[in-house]
Amino acid sequence: QVQLVESGGGSVQPGGSLRLSCAASGRTFHDFAMGWFRQAPGKEREFVASISWSGGPTYYADYVKGRFTVSRENAKNTLYLQMNSLKSADTAVYYCAAGVTGRAYNYWGQGTQVTVSS
């Protein structure tokens, strides 16, 4: 199986920045799409951003466009989510996910908490 482990979460004041990392192992990833999702208390998990492991299009939810950037470093098998201009609404558990491009995300990490507060 593919294993995904998120890190980099924490607490930050509004307007601050964090960079999340997702370390992947268990296979090669040339044909995988990688995505970030988040889930706030009492709400369903929602899409944040995605990128192909080997290149291709990126996608962003409207509420993070211009603030978040998804990227990857293939040599380290690591996916990143750079989060800038954070606001309280971004508070959630953030999850890394992977799946064959064009199919469902079927591998998930355990999540990392991001808290934005004064």
Side-chain angles (χ1 to χ4, degrees), residues 9 18 23 30 33 40 51 55-56 64 66 72-73 78 80-81 92 99 111 118:
L18 286 172
H30 67 277
I51 190 171
V64 304
R72 77 287 193 201
E73 189 169 1
T78 302
Y80 301 101
L81 182 67
S118 300

Side-chain angles (χ1 to χ4, degrees), residues 4-87:
L4 305 173
V5 181
E6 302 95 337
S7 62
S11 297
V12 65
Q13 292 185 323
S17 298
L18 286 172
R19 188 177 75 161
L20 306 183
S21 298
C22 172
S25 62
R27 61 156 291 158
T28 59
F29 307 98
H30 67 277
D31 60 343
F32 264 39
M34 306 294 295
W36 288 99
F37 294 76
R38 69 187 188 186
Q39 187 170 17
K43 298 183 179 180
E44 294 186 343
R45 188 174 299 181
E46 62 184 1
F47 171 78
V48 176
S50 66
I51 190 171
S52 171
W53 193 248
S54 60
T58 58
Y59 300 94
Y60 295 94
D62 288 342
Y63 50 81
V64 304
K65 287 181 179 178
R67 300 190 298 121
F68 291 9
T69 303
V70 62
S71 62
R72 77 287 193 201
E73 189 169 1
N74 290 10
K76 295 184 177 181
N77 290 336
T78 302
L79 180 74
Y80 301 101
L81 182 67
Q82 178 66 47
M83 305 185 295
N84 299 325
S85 301
L86 285 162
K87 52 188 179 182

